[in-house]
Amino acid sequence: MKPALVLLPLLLFGRPAAGQDEATTLLEGCRRAGAIVRAVVVGAGDPAPEWRRVEFARIEPLAGEIAERFALLEPAGACCGRSLFALQPGQQCLLFLQRRGPAWHPFGGARGVLADEPGVAAHVRALLGAADDRARARLLADGLRAPEPRIAADAAHALASLPGLELEPPGRIAVAAALAEAIGSGRTTAAPLAAAAVRAGGAGALDTMVQLYVETPHGDRAALLRSALRRADPRAVAGRLPALLGGSADREVRAAELLAELPAEDAAGPLRDLLGAASHPRAQLAAAEALLRHGVHPASLRGRLPPPVLELAERRHEGPARLRNLPHGGR
């Protein structure tokens, strides 16, 4: 492969915001672009200092109608959202285009101009040919394991927002595995994968999420999972926590933080059990604070934990939110 082609994805694809990722996935491009085409650059130049013009020859139209030769124009210079400045004659691209007025423009800016990789083109053809959202969900779940980063990342974002998400067991397993990898490595796809895991349902995915939540040493990743788990079945979530704690103060604190955000009718019983089992003051404090947050009267907790711990829990519960959410340990 030519060096220029190796550099093409790096030049074209900066890190857009997550919202842009979701709005410009390959699936959204298949749905909304006016034309999708494999093409080769046959000319590039600057018709004026402030403009960049690139001419293309069509290789294969995948969707929509577009001429055998066409051109794209954008303001000159390398800038966020620009897609043409790095292109040179001979480079092959996969283009998602939309018409505005008389001219074609890339759909989603730089996100709509891809290096023409066979795997990505095949994935796009499959998405275009999918009969319904169930078939699309199956393709996207398979795409999570794709070696091409654009396919795998796009699949995570698309699954999180796919209407009426339905996944068969292999698909749910793929989502859970991808989520575990994303949490472990701190990837930005962790949030959409967690949302997809909750939406897809299944006991296995929930087991994975709860275990990842109590085990990760990173507070920001735990907060991400906690936010997703709030949207799962609260009774199922609460019921999975006790078997994963193992007498660890860190895990007990994590459990208390999650239970504090679940409905009181599902969380109060497990929190009382946690308070009775916890031996570390930090875990006792977290459980007591969570119970107070659920409306339990402080008097009912007296004698169940050391008085200084209960006094601190009351002060933190009654004080400003910033005092109730102080970080603990190194997390």
Side-chain angles (χ1 to χ4, degrees), residues 17-25 28 32 111 154 156-158 160-161 191-192:
Q20 184 182 356
D21 283 345
E22 293 166 6
T24 56
T25 62
E28 280 301 297
R32 297 171 54 195
R111 296 265 296 164
D154 269 34
H157 288 285
S161 57

Side-chain angles (χ1 to χ4, degrees), residues 110-134:
R111 296 265 296 164
V113 181
L114 292 76
D116 185 21
E117 299 175 354
V120 178
H123 182 68
V124 169
R125 288 191 198 95
L127 289 173
L128 289 168
D132 52 33
D133 279 343
R134 188 166 188 172

